[in-house]
Amino acid sequence: MWSRQNLLFTLCIASSQVISAAGLIRVSGYEGREAKVSCPYEEGYESYEKYLCRNECGDDDVLITTTRGKTDRYSIDDDKNKRVFTATISDLSSTDAGKYWCGVTRTGKDIYTEVKLDVKPDRCCDHFAKVQGYENSSVSINCSYKSEDGNNLKYICRGNQPSTCLQQAVVTSDIKQNGQFSINDDKISSKFTVTITSLTQKDSGMYLCGVHRNTGLDVFSGVELEVKEWCCMKSHTVSGIVGLPVTMECPYSPQHRTNIKFLCRGDHRNDCTVMVTSQHSSDQTDHRFTLQDDAASSSFLVTITELKAGDAGTYWCGSDPQWSVGNYTKIQLSVVFPQQTSTVEQLVTSQVTQTSSRPITDAALPFHPVVFIVPTVLLALTFTLVVLYKYRCCKEQGINKNRTTKTAEADDGMSEDNDYENQEVIVSSKQGTSKQQSTWHRGDEDAGEDQQDSVYQNFTTDDIYCNEVYVKANKR
């Protein structure tokens, strides 16, 4: 058996004599972590010394041997049953990267296997995909991978430390469900999706999508999740009148043109009853709700016909089942009753009562168009009746005047007593008496009697009333 010095001397003279028993071994590790170099050997060498050296395996290049045990950052373990010895390098740094040799000491030429160590920083990644979610809602994280990794284990972990990601994975493609985390692997599209439900502010942070590799380091992609409060949603107030239709407008993202649109009712979006959707359903119970989608304007309209008082409340409309804040609208609907005529009349009476005790000014009478409709109509009607009545009365007065003139000419010199007696005729006529001659002076049968009879014999009650007004006017 050659000494190690002789072996090293021989290697320095002719490096071509270094024999690789199992080809090149590739090992990777992260800075600050450890790397394990597993070196297989053939049967019969179980009791032989094994070692790990670097560069050209000079005296200063031997790092650890099975006969010297652990030294500094290096340790070694020989599994004779599997015929594999494993050298471990801890607290890796970038200077540890390079070429190593697994060696088996034997008589003559030692057996060597070349090792290539790659050391990477324990962080990921150059780019992080931004994902947003909102409290009490859910969010989906899409992770792509290469087609050759289709059958490999997929997982996701929190943080930005690849070296411990697999050990701290919150869910894997083998487990599929872990609390609020679930995973679905679509091998056809080479993408796995992680869904996180019941989001809270604590779920914010960095995540790593990992694909396990049987050799070398696992492959990662970074995601940064931001969970926001429901503080800045779009909100509108809409008012309607009982018995009339009302329309609510709901904008949506242009990317959601093909999505199902919906309107639901409830104090909270997580517990609301769907009233109508863009996809016709037999489950809709209230057919007063109709939805019309306008893809050109990226919005849809919901109309409620024959509005009821009970329709007042909070509504939510949107186009995203994930309830992203930018993809839904909160609507507060208020319902009022139409104004009644009795209410208007009471308001007018109140206004008149309040203003009758003080001067009326423009400032004292606020403008209420609806309030003045009824008084204006009543005033116009009253004015028309008065004009018609005065016109008729004056017409009758003109007839009486002519008749009185004729009487005066026939009975010139009639005394004031005759006027009084004439007034008695008028009173007698109002009482419905048909005995006109009793209204004249006793024994008076001159020609004036015939003329007076001709004047009064055809008077009606209205004629008498108008004539009485005229006679009184003449007395004055």
Side-chain angles (χ1 to χ4, degrees):
M1 177 178 177
W2 286 10
S3 65
R4 176 168 291 123
Q5 288 79 6
N6 293 334
L7 174 62
L8 294 175
F9 178 76
T10 304
L11 289 173
C12 291
I13 295 177
S15 59
S16 60
Q17 293 184 11
V18 175
I19 302 173
S20 176
L24 179 65
I25 299 174
R26 295 184 178 275
V27 179
S28 300
Y30 294 102
E31 290 180 351
R33 299 296 172 175
E34 64 180 26
K36 293 183 178 294
V37 182
S38 296
C39 306
Y41 55 85
E42 295 180 358
E43 185 180 0
Y45 293 97
E46 289 84 356
S47 61
Y48 285 59
E49 183 186 48
K50 288 85 177 179
Y51 57 91
L52 180 70
C53 62
R54 192 172 185 183
N55 299 327
E56 299 301 329
C57 282
D59 287 341
D60 296 334
D61 295 331
V62 176
L63 305 174
I64 187 70
T65 68
T66 55
T67 57
R68 287 192 297 176
K70 183 177 181 180
T71 61
D72 195 15
R73 297 186 298 124
Y74 303 94
S75 62
I76 194 168
D77 178 68
D78 185 10
D79 187 346
K80 296 178 180 180
N81 294 326
K82 295 181 179 179
R83 296 192 297 275
V84 175
F85 73 91
T86 303
T88 302
I89 308 174
S90 60
D91 194 18
L92 287 172
S93 66
S94 59
T95 59
D96 292 324
K99 183 189 293 186
Y100 290 80
W101 299 92
C102 293
V104 178
T105 304
R106 68 174 183 173
T107 303
K109 299 177 182 180
D110 287 0
I111 302 174
Y112 288 90
T113 303
E114 184 179 358
V115 178
K116 177 68 178 295
L117 175 61
D118 185 20
V119 179
K120 293 184 177 181
D122 193 13
R123 61 180 181 272
C124 180
C125 301
D126 294 336
H127 171 72
F128 276 81
K130 305 289 185 180
V131 177
Q132 286 187 347
Y134 295 87
E135 287 185 322
N136 301 317
S137 64
S138 61
V139 68
S140 294
I141 300 174
N142 297 320
C143 309
S144 300
Y145 57 84
K146 293 182 178 180
S147 58
E148 55 263 30
D149 295 324
N151 295 324
N152 293 359
L153 179 72
K154 287 86 177 179
Y155 57 95
I156 190 170
C157 68
R158 295 201 61 170
N160 186 28
Q161 203 165 39
S163 62
T164 60
C165 187
L166 180 57
Q167 293 76 17
Q168 299 177 357
V170 293
V171 67
T172 68
S173 55
D174 287 345
I175 300 176
K176 296 187 181 302
Q177 181 76 41
N178 182 22
Q180 68 183 117
F181 295 85
S182 62
I183 190 171
N184 179 49
D185 186 10
D186 184 358
K187 296 180 180 179
I188 297 178
S189 62
S190 298
K191 178 178 67 177
F192 68 93
T193 302
V194 176
T195 301
I196 310 174
T197 60
S198 303
L199 287 171
T200 66
Q201 291 283 319
K202 295 181 180 180
D203 294 320
S204 296
M206 294 183 178
Y207 291 79
L208 293 181
C209 298
V211 178
H212 183 62
R213 291 280 181 83
N214 295 325
T215 59
L217 299 176
D218 290 355
V219 181
F220 297 96
S221 58
V223 176
E224 184 176 1
L225 173 62
E226 181 183 9
V227 179
K228 293 184 176 182
E229 294 181 293
W230 286 94
C231 64
C232 307
M233 75 289 289
K234 292 177 290 186
S235 181
H236 299 296
T237 300
V238 178
S239 180
I241 301 175
V242 171
L244 299 180
V246 66
T247 299
M248 296 173 281
E249 183 177 6
C250 303
Y252 59 82
S253 172
Q255 290 78 12
H256 292 176
R257 290 186 179 182
T258 59
N259 289 16
I260 296 176
K261 287 75 177 182
F262 63 90
L263 176 79
C264 66
R265 179 182 179 182
D267 293 334
H268 198 276
R269 58 180 181 80
N270 284 343
D271 185 22
C272 64
T273 302
V274 176
M275 307 304 296
V276 64
T277 68
S278 57
Q279 187 178 47
H280 297 289
S281 174
S282 58
D283 296 335
Q284 182 177 345
T285 57
D286 195 338
H287 295 283
R288 295 180 301 121
F289 290 77
T290 58
L291 189 151
Q292 181 179 2
D293 189 8
D294 184 6
S297 63
S298 295
S299 66
F300 63 91
L301 302 177
V302 176
T303 301
I304 309 176
T305 58
E306 297 181 4
L307 196 63
K308 299 178 182 179
D311 293 328
T314 304
Y315 292 83
W316 310 82
C317 59
S319 58
D320 181 15
Q322 299 297 330
W323 287 102
S324 299
V325 71
N327 300 322
Y328 83 98
T329 302
K330 179 182 179 181
I331 299 176
Q332 194 67 39
L333 175 62
S334 60
V335 179
V336 297
F337 287 91
Q339 293 185 348
Q340 301 293 333
T341 304
S342 58
T343 303
V344 174
E345 293 176 349
Q346 291 173 4
L347 181 59
V348 173
T349 304
S350 175
Q351 290 284 349
V352 173
T353 303
Q354 293 176 6
T355 58
S356 60
S357 60
R358 65 177 184 271
I360 299 177
T361 63
D362 293 341
L365 290 176
F367 181 69
H368 297 288
V370 177
V371 173
F372 286 102
I373 292 176
V374 175
T376 302
V377 174
L378 294 176
L379 181 60
L381 181 59
T382 304
F383 178 78
T384 303
L385 293 175
V386 171
V387 171
L388 292 175
Y389 179 80
K390 287 187 175 182
Y391 171 78
R392 182 176 181 184
C393 188
C394 292
K395 180 178 179 181
E396 296 297 339
Q397 288 178 3
I399 297 172
N400 293 340
K401 182 176 181 180
N402 292 334
R403 292 175 178 174
T404 305
T405 302
K406 293 179 181 180
T407 304
E409 292 175 355
D411 190 17
D412 187 27
M414 181 178 290
S415 64
E416 190 174 304
D417 291 336
N418 295 87
D419 291 339
Y420 178 77
E421 291 170 352
N422 203 19
Q423 187 174 359
E424 288 180 347
V425 172
I426 297 172
V427 173
S428 176
S429 299
K430 288 183 178 180
Q431 295 174 352
T433 179
S434 60
K435 298 180 180 179
Q436 298 178 5
Q437 292 182 355
S438 62
T439 63
W440 295 95
H441 193 272
R442 295 184 300 272
D444 190 358
E445 297 178 358
D446 56 6
E449 182 177 356
D450 296 333
Q451 294 178 358
Q452 294 292 339
D453 287 340
S454 64
V455 173
Y456 290 102
Q457 62 184 354
N458 294 323
F459 274 12
T460 63
T461 303
D462 291 339
D463 296 335
I464 296 171
Y465 177 78
C466 291
N467 196 30
E468 181 181 5
V469 174
Y470 176 77
V471 172
K472 288 183 179 180
N474 287 335
K475 286 184 179 181
R476 296 194 186 113

